[in-house]
PDB file of all heavy atoms in Angstrom:
ATOM      1  N   CYS C 210     -13.672  39.350 -34.935  1.00  0.00           N
ATOM      2  CA  CYS C 210     -14.870  39.052 -34.098  1.00  0.00           C
ATOM      3  C   CYS C 210     -15.161  40.268 -33.243  1.00  0.00           C
ATOM      4  O   CYS C 210     -14.284  40.776 -32.541  1.00  0.00           O
ATOM      5  CB  CYS C 210     -14.559  37.858 -33.222  1.00  0.00           C
ATOM      6  SG  CYS C 210     -15.821  37.527 -32.031  1.00  0.00           S
ATOM      7  N   ASN C 211     -16.385  40.785 -33.366  1.00  0.00           N
ATOM      8  CA  ASN C 211     -16.774  41.970 -32.572  1.00  0.00           C
ATOM      9  C   ASN C 211     -16.859  41.648 -31.069  1.00  0.00           C
ATOM     10  O   ASN C 211     -16.787  42.534 -30.228  1.00  0.00           O
ATOM     11  CB  ASN C 211     -18.111  42.530 -33.055  1.00  0.00           C
ATOM     12  CG  ASN C 211     -17.927  43.229 -34.378  1.00  0.00           C
ATOM     13  OD1 ASN C 211     -16.848  43.729 -34.734  1.00  0.00           O
ATOM     14  ND2 ASN C 211     -18.970  43.269 -35.216  1.00  0.00           N
ATOM     15  N   ALA C 212     -17.008  40.317 -30.760  1.00  0.00           N
ATOM     16  CA  ALA C 212     -17.132  39.961 -29.349  1.00  0.00           C
ATOM     17  C   ALA C 212     -15.770  39.778 -28.687  1.00  0.00           C
ATOM     18  O   ALA C 212     -15.589  40.214 -27.546  1.00  0.00           O
ATOM     19  CB  ALA C 212     -17.950  38.664 -29.265  1.00  0.00           C
ATOM     20  N   CYS C 213     -14.833  39.147 -29.349  1.00  0.00           N
ATOM     21  CA  CYS C 213     -13.551  38.861 -28.699  1.00  0.00           C
ATOM     22  C   CYS C 213     -12.342  39.364 -29.459  1.00  0.00           C
ATOM     23  O   CYS C 213     -11.188  39.157 -29.028  1.00  0.00           O
ATOM     24  CB  CYS C 213     -13.428  37.364 -28.430  1.00  0.00           C
ATOM     25  SG  CYS C 213     -12.996  36.408 -29.848  1.00  0.00           S
ATOM     26  N   GLN C 214     -12.548  40.056 -30.586  1.00  0.00           N
ATOM     27  CA  GLN C 214     -11.494  40.702 -31.353  1.00  0.00           C
ATOM     28  C   GLN C 214     -10.523  39.711 -32.050  1.00  0.00           C
ATOM     29  O   GLN C 214      -9.514  40.148 -32.575  1.00  0.00           O
ATOM     30  CB  GLN C 214     -10.701  41.656 -30.490  1.00  0.00           C
ATOM     31  CG  GLN C 214     -11.255  43.085 -30.443  1.00  0.00           C
ATOM     32  CD  GLN C 214     -12.585  43.119 -29.676  1.00  0.00           C
ATOM     33  OE1 GLN C 214     -12.628  42.705 -28.522  1.00  0.00           O
ATOM     34  NE2 GLN C 214     -13.625  43.612 -30.327  1.00  0.00           N
ATOM     35  N   THR C 215     -10.832  38.433 -32.012  1.00  0.00           N
ATOM     36  CA  THR C 215      -9.994  37.477 -32.723  1.00  0.00           C
ATOM     37  C   THR C 215     -10.037  37.764 -34.260  1.00  0.00           C
ATOM     38  O   THR C 215     -11.127  38.021 -34.782  1.00  0.00           O
ATOM     39  CB  THR C 215     -10.438  36.030 -32.472  1.00  0.00           C
ATOM     40  OG1 THR C 215     -10.358  35.773 -31.086  1.00  0.00           O
ATOM     41  CG2 THR C 215      -9.576  35.050 -33.232  1.00  0.00           C
ATOM     42  N   HIS C 217      -9.576  36.712 -38.200  1.00  0.00           N
ATOM     43  CA  HIS C 217      -9.722  35.536 -39.097  1.00  0.00           C
ATOM     44  C   HIS C 217      -9.440  35.840 -40.507  1.00  0.00           C
ATOM     45  O   HIS C 217     -10.042  36.740 -41.075  1.00  0.00           O
ATOM     46  CB  HIS C 217     -11.142  35.010 -39.055  1.00  0.00           C
ATOM     47  CG  HIS C 217     -11.732  34.707 -37.715  1.00  0.00           C
ATOM     48  ND1 HIS C 217     -12.275  35.673 -36.882  1.00  0.00           N
ATOM     49  CD2 HIS C 217     -11.799  33.546 -37.015  1.00  0.00           C
ATOM     50  CE1 HIS C 217     -12.647  35.125 -35.770  1.00  0.00           C
ATOM     51  NE2 HIS C 217     -12.389  33.849 -35.776  1.00  0.00           N
ATOM     52  N   CYS C 224     -17.064  33.009 -35.142  1.00  0.00           N
ATOM     53  CA  CYS C 224     -15.746  33.111 -34.530  1.00  0.00           C
ATOM     54  C   CYS C 224     -15.307  31.774 -33.988  1.00  0.00           C
ATOM     55  O   CYS C 224     -16.041  31.163 -33.174  1.00  0.00           O
ATOM     56  CB  CYS C 224     -15.755  34.170 -33.401  1.00  0.00           C
ATOM     57  SG  CYS C 224     -14.167  34.259 -32.578  1.00  0.00           S
ATOM     58  N   ARG C 225     -14.124  31.287 -34.429  1.00  0.00           N
ATOM     59  CA  ARG C 225     -13.710  29.964 -33.971  1.00  0.00           C
ATOM     60  C   ARG C 225     -13.223  30.037 -32.480  1.00  0.00           C
ATOM     61  O   ARG C 225     -13.061  29.047 -31.864  1.00  0.00           O
ATOM     62  CB  ARG C 225     -12.683  29.381 -34.888  1.00  0.00           C
ATOM     63  CG  ARG C 225     -11.316  30.003 -34.781  1.00  0.00           C
ATOM     64  CD  ARG C 225     -10.261  29.214 -35.557  1.00  0.00           C
ATOM     65  NE  ARG C 225      -9.160  30.149 -35.884  1.00  0.00           N
ATOM     66  CZ  ARG C 225      -9.119  30.880 -36.978  1.00  0.00           C
ATOM     67  NH1 ARG C 225     -10.078  30.807 -37.871  1.00  0.00           N
ATOM     68  NH2 ARG C 225      -8.133  31.720 -37.140  1.00  0.00           N
ATOM     69  N   ALA C 226     -12.980  31.285 -32.029  1.00  0.00           N
ATOM     70  CA  ALA C 226     -12.483  31.453 -30.654  1.00  0.00           C
ATOM     71  C   ALA C 226     -13.619  31.448 -29.660  1.00  0.00           C
ATOM     72  O   ALA C 226     -13.533  30.840 -28.599  1.00  0.00           O
ATOM     73  CB  ALA C 226     -11.631  32.685 -30.527  1.00  0.00           C
ATOM     74  N   CYS C 227     -14.716  32.138 -29.974  1.00  0.00           N
ATOM     75  CA  CYS C 227     -15.779  32.314 -28.945  1.00  0.00           C
ATOM     76  C   CYS C 227     -17.130  31.904 -29.446  1.00  0.00           C
ATOM     77  O   CYS C 227     -18.103  31.926 -28.702  1.00  0.00           O
ATOM     78  CB  CYS C 227     -15.797  33.757 -28.446  1.00  0.00           C
ATOM     79  SG  CYS C 227     -16.519  34.931 -29.606  1.00  0.00           S
ATOM     80  N   GLY C 228     -17.296  31.573 -30.731  1.00  0.00           N
ATOM     81  CA  GLY C 228     -18.583  31.097 -31.232  1.00  0.00           C
ATOM     82  C   GLY C 228     -19.561  32.232 -31.628  1.00  0.00           C
ATOM     83  O   GLY C 228     -20.658  31.956 -32.023  1.00  0.00           O
ATOM     84  N   SER C 229     -19.116  33.443 -31.469  1.00  0.00           N
ATOM     85  CA  SER C 229     -20.013  34.588 -31.814  1.00  0.00           C
ATOM     86  C   SER C 229     -20.243  34.649 -33.334  1.00  0.00           C
ATOM     87  O   SER C 229     -19.351  34.323 -34.123  1.00  0.00           O
ATOM     88  CB  SER C 229     -19.354  35.910 -31.338  1.00  0.00           C
ATOM     89  OG  SER C 229     -20.077  36.965 -31.861  1.00  0.00           O
ATOM     90  N   MET C 232     -19.666  39.285 -36.528  1.00  0.00           N
ATOM     91  CA  MET C 232     -18.359  39.428 -37.087  1.00  0.00           C
ATOM     92  C   MET C 232     -18.216  40.785 -37.840  1.00  0.00           C
ATOM     93  O   MET C 232     -19.188  41.211 -38.510  1.00  0.00           O
ATOM     94  CB  MET C 232     -18.103  38.286 -38.156  1.00  0.00           C
ATOM     95  CG  MET C 232     -18.253  36.905 -37.578  1.00  0.00           C
ATOM     96  SD  MET C 232     -17.074  36.611 -36.219  1.00  0.00           S
ATOM     97  CE  MET C 232     -15.616  36.317 -37.196  1.00  0.00           C
TER      98      MET C 232
HETATM   99 ZN1  LIG D  18     -14.833  35.748 -30.933  1.00  0.00          ZN
END
Side-chain angles (χ1 to χ4, degrees):
Chain C
C210 173
N211 288 332
C213 77
Q214 273 69 54
T215 299
H217 305 83
C224 176
R225 73 171 157 270
C227 75
S229 169
M232 304 299 283

